Amino acid sequence: MDINKDAIKNCILDKLNYHFGVQAIDATPDQYYRACVMIINEILITRQRKFMTDIRKTEAKTVSYLCMEFLLGRSLKSSLYNLGLLDPFDAAINELGYTLEEIFDMEPDAGLGNGGLGRLAACFMESAATLGYSMTGYSILYEYGIFKQQLLNGWQIELPDPWLPGGEVWLNPRPDEACTVKFGGHVKEEWNDYCLQIDYKDFTPVLAIPYDIIISGYQKGRVSLLRLWKATSSEFDLQLFHQGDYLKADEKRTQAEMISKILYPPDHHHEGKRLRLKQQYFLVSASIQDIVRKHLVQYKTLKNFSEKNAIHINETHPALAIPELMRIFLDDYCYDWDEAWNIITNTFSFTNHTIMREALEVWPEELLANLLPRIYHIIKEIQKRYQEALCNKYHFTDEQLKALAIIHNGQIHMANMCLHACHTINGVSKIHSSILQKNVFRNYSALHPEKFYNITNGFNYRRWLCQANPKMCQFISECIGDGFHTDPMQLQRMVMLQDDLAVLNKIAEIKRENKIRLADYIYSATKIKVDINSIFDVQVKRLHEYKRQLLNVMHILYLYDHYLQHSSEELPPRTFLFAAKAAPSYSMAKRIIHLICCLADEINSNPSVNDKLKIIYLEDYRVTLAELLMPAAEISEQISLAGTEASGTGNMKLMINGAITVGTLDGANIEIKEAVGEDNILLFGLRNEEVQLLRKVGYFPSIYLSNPAVRNIIERLNSNIHGESFHDIASYLIGSSDGIADPYMVLADFDSYCHIQKEAARRYSEPILWNKMSLRNIASAGRFAADRAIKEYAEKIWHIKTV
Ligand SMILES: *Cc1c(COP(=O)(O)O)cnc(C)c1O
């Protein structure tokens, strides 16, 4: 089909006519949006079928990426972009009386993830498709994604996010490939002539129905498949219904559908444990059944399973995939243990994404035994054989055994199961991988150092630069050609132009236009006017103590005080931009949001400073908001305590849009420093080794009260900010008398942070210097492309080739 403007226009009119029963003139923007998606989806289905044929013909190995989260955001623009159809669609839609932007705005964000981990998974899907690897993502079709955040008097409130009404047009239901996941019940083991017969009775069946989203690669016509499972049940009790007990009659279905009802927030460890475990097993059981079924259709045997399948466990949430695949080999195909285990250990790999202690997942033995009796048996057997091997081979002490145990103290340790069963384990930045080896997983890495790798995270720069910042992308193409669209390292060529004033001015001009676009949004969302000439200083990410939004607040309080006393001082004006969601049960994070909002109210309404300082807190941080923020940012705040941020990807997205990082030597900041050079990044704060040392000798923050600036700020928190006291945060920062002090050492880095912020202001006052730094950041961001990360996974971990 020749896809030109007129053909597209006709297709749209057809869809409006036959699907919605309306004429062009009566159609709503939402109907136009749906019509466009239907057309794109048809193109994608064709490509998917062709790509599948190639995969089958070449017998290519496939990677299945299991993850509880895929934070997709919107898909229409990026699909059109990757298919090269933006221009003809734009022309067609214009003729029909709308702009493409208006149509894009009809699409809800698919918020099926919490933050960085879910966004990474989404970026990886696009890269794998672009490069031509065979990749299937597996997750859950949550009816409600991450909550919608509203700020009410400076407090976060959470609202449900029903994304399906606008998002479901992307879904291709495949009820023919549905499968059953079994919960509860009892297991009886019986030997027949040649294998152990498992009799599994009284279980509750849940139906898993797959819905596919097809993700387009850039050009070349290849795609990735994202298969999302919806939970339901076909059991309906007609007897109860006839008796008039309508609720009860449909109870089984309601119970089953609860599993795919809602994305769970992280940092949440009390309520809903059982449902969360159900979600995890539901995802892995359906996915593993699907992978095995597809394999058998093509190869008729499971002997070559690990040659044709790599299965990736993204964070420990899908770790039950390991015993689930064992279960299928043992119970359904009568494999003996060693043969099955051999296949397992050649199939699975595992990425760890955080060293936050509380994120190392454990499940109560009793809960697992009760909910998944057969899986529990298998985990016990894995544990038994593992312990025997450790004792016989390494003569481990009890202490060492305990550290590696999969089951210990009535708890099942998911990470330890992954370490034991996976052939490769990786961290997501150099420092994070090294901390995993030296600290978090040191006992295991001493046994098997060869299993450990680093693969630094990446991001989809076609989305975060080319689509989010089209003017910059266009300008870069004019400078160095458009080869960088598929070869990100070509961005480096921009460095040749770093002394060309016209180029530097153009970069500044594009930044200014993006700032105006953001300022317009800020005005429409908050009715606050921000100064386009002020520095746009941006900290956007999840709200967490370790990310230290509080350090940013301390510096703002410092500046505020400074301006109140020396109002004539010549520092460039600044706009501090925040956006972040807090986990609903995380009260400290919510308190910090409230502090930022109170401070914003006070400063923004104080005429003696508000021409110099403004604070904006934008509600509901999500992919679509990030796409508006990143291109307008000038300072990128990446200020976690060294040794706490695994990698970060927000830092990379901001860098490629020309923002200068103010950051600690943490996560991927360290590699950003290596890429741009020390002169083009503003580093401050304790190094990881210094943090560890300080921990050892003891962190006593009250010593920092000798600094008058710190004293002032603490006093201010204690007394009042916009009429409220933040006594609790003050005592958190300086440590209360019973010795509990801020574990993220905000005060220890405060002085160093203020110095580097002063340096940032100084450099901003020299536009040529600043714009040159900006250019060098853009030019050096190529190595953080997800394309690079995916190639490394493909070569070092999955051992897959492009189709
Ligand atoms: C990139 C991204 C993140 C991750 O940000 P970090 O600064 O790396 O923590 C979180 N949420 C959204 C919506 C993102 O786009």
Side-chain angles (χ1 to χ4, degrees), residues 71 115-116 119 464 540-541 547 621-623 626 648-650 653:
L71 190 53
R119 186 54 232 170
W464 293 100
V540 292
K541 48 184 71 252
K547 292 180 182 277
Y621 185 52
R622 62 195 184 282
V623 172
T649 48
K653 301 169 197 165

Side-chain angles (χ1 to χ4, degrees), residues 71 109 113-120 123 457 459 463-464 539-542 546-547 581 620-627 630 636-638 645 647-654:
L71 190 53
D109 269 45
N114 276 292
L117 169 133
R119 186 54 232 170
L120 183 81
C123 285
N457 277 168
F459 71 109
R463 175 182 282 262
W464 293 100
Q539 187 171 21
V540 292
K541 48 184 71 252
R542 286 300 292 236
Y546 86 82
K547 292 180 182 277
K581 288 176 184 173
D620 203 30
Y621 185 52
R622 62 195 184 282
V623 172
T624 299
L625 182 56
E627 287 165 355
M630 304 292 178
S636 159
E637 299 277 353
Q638 307 299 336
E645 184 73 270
S647 162
T649 48
N651 46 3
M652 303 167 183
K653 301 169 197 165
L654 284 155

